[in-house]
């Protein structure tokens, strides 16, 4: 399987992202609020606040944002974030995973979960399934990786996950929020 990024046009994203943020934070969003989440974090260089709507990937009981977008680098050394998911705001510490040995299996499970056709939309990818094993090619930067592992490395696809270091909830008597995949009602905004 060969994977490559395939994103909607930037102009469409500039229009749709504010609409998605509004829908995901309101009851009007309905079932979408369980499929998508809004990540709120501050840029590590600019200090600017970003609110990014992304697909909420639940894999092995953990919550991930799978992306190749440049904003992912804000989580390279870990970063605090607020996640709005299903109407609940949870504070968390996100960490960028960039080890191909860890990243490729996450993308493979997400593709299996959605199915190839839907995964292309939900993950922003073009997925080419080879006719034979000989069509897979190899990554020139890491030829030792098996064919199923190189696409995520080659295309800079990285997940961001809950680092299981919850932040204290602001103004909540010092209580801490639970892991991102299990928001507690007392911590929600």
């Amino acid at each position: 399987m060969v994977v490559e990024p395939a994103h909607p046009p930037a102009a469409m994203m500039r229009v749709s992202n504010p609409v998605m943020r509004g829908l995901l934070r309101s009851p009007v969003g309905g079932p979408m609020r369980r499929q998508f989440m809004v990540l709120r974090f501050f840029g590590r260089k600019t200090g600017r606040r970003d609110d990014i709507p992304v697909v909420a990937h639940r894999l092995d009981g953990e919550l991930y944002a799978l992306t190749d977008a440049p904003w992912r680098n804000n989580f390279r050394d870990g970063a605090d974030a607020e996640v709005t998911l299903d109407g609940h705001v949870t504070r968390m510490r996100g960490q960028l995973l960039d080890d191909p040995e860890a990243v490729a299996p996450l993308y493979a499970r997400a593709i299996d979960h959605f199915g190839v056709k839907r995964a292309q939309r939900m993950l922003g990818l073009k997925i080419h399934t080879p006719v034979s094993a000989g069509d897979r090619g190899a990554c020139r930067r890491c030829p030792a990786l098996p064919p199923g592992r190189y696409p995520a490395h080659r295309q800079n696809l990285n997940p961001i996950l809950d680092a299981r270091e919850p932040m204290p909830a602001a103004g909540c008597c010092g209580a801490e929020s639970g892991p991102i995949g299990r928001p507690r009602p007392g911590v929600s905004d």
Side-chain angles (χ1 to χ4, degrees):
M1 173 180 346
V2 177
V3 177
E4 62 182 283
H7 301 289
M12 187 172 112
M13 297 303 290
R14 279 192 298 276
V15 171
S16 66
N17 278 350
V19 172
M20 285 292 290
R21 282 192 294 265
L23 285 173
L24 296 174
R25 290 184 172 137
S26 107
V28 177
M32 261 191 345
R33 295 175 1 142
R34 288 185 293 280
Q35 295 175 355
F36 294 87
M37 61 185 168
V38 177
L39 295 177
R40 174 178 280 178
F41 58 91
F42 291 90
R44 64 181 184 166
K45 291 182 181 176
T46 64
R48 189 183 81 215
R49 185 184 85 192
D50 284 310
D51 293 311
I52 310 288
V54 294
V55 176
H57 298 282
R58 293 173 185 90
L59 304 168
D60 298 331
E62 301 286 343
L63 186 61
Y64 294 88
L66 303 176
T67 186
D68 68 334
W71 58 260
R72 76 187 189 281
N73 291 311
N74 289 296
F75 293 92
R76 185 162 303 283
D77 297 321
D80 297 332
E82 287 183 0
V83 176
T84 304
L85 178 62
D86 199 15
H88 301 283
V89 177
T90 304
R91 295 177 183 273
M92 60 156 271
R93 180 131 181 108
Q95 177 68 46
L96 180 69
L97 299 178
D98 57 3
D99 174 18
E101 295 291 324
V103 172
L106 293 173
Y107 270 90
R109 283 196 305 261
I111 291 168
D112 287 344
H113 170 76
F114 289 122
V116 172
K117 189 171 183 171
R118 187 166 178 232
Q120 293 183 104
R121 273 193 331 270
M122 299 300 282
L123 298 172
L125 301 173
K126 283 185 186 176
I127 302 169
H128 307 280
T129 53
V131 175
S132 68
D135 294 337
R136 293 183 188 180
C139 179
R140 284 179 239 147
R141 290 191 296 177
C142 50
L145 290 177
R149 304 237 173 140
Y150 75 84
H153 174 64
R154 187 172 64 195
Q155 299 298 338
N156 295 318
L157 302 171
N158 299 105
I160 298 165
L161 87 149
D162 169 19
R164 295 224 173 252
E165 296 176 16
M167 297 171 31
C172 190
C173 306
E176 292 187 355
S177 62
I180 186 173
R182 300 173 220 42
R184 293 196 296 191
V187 180
S188 301
D189 289 336

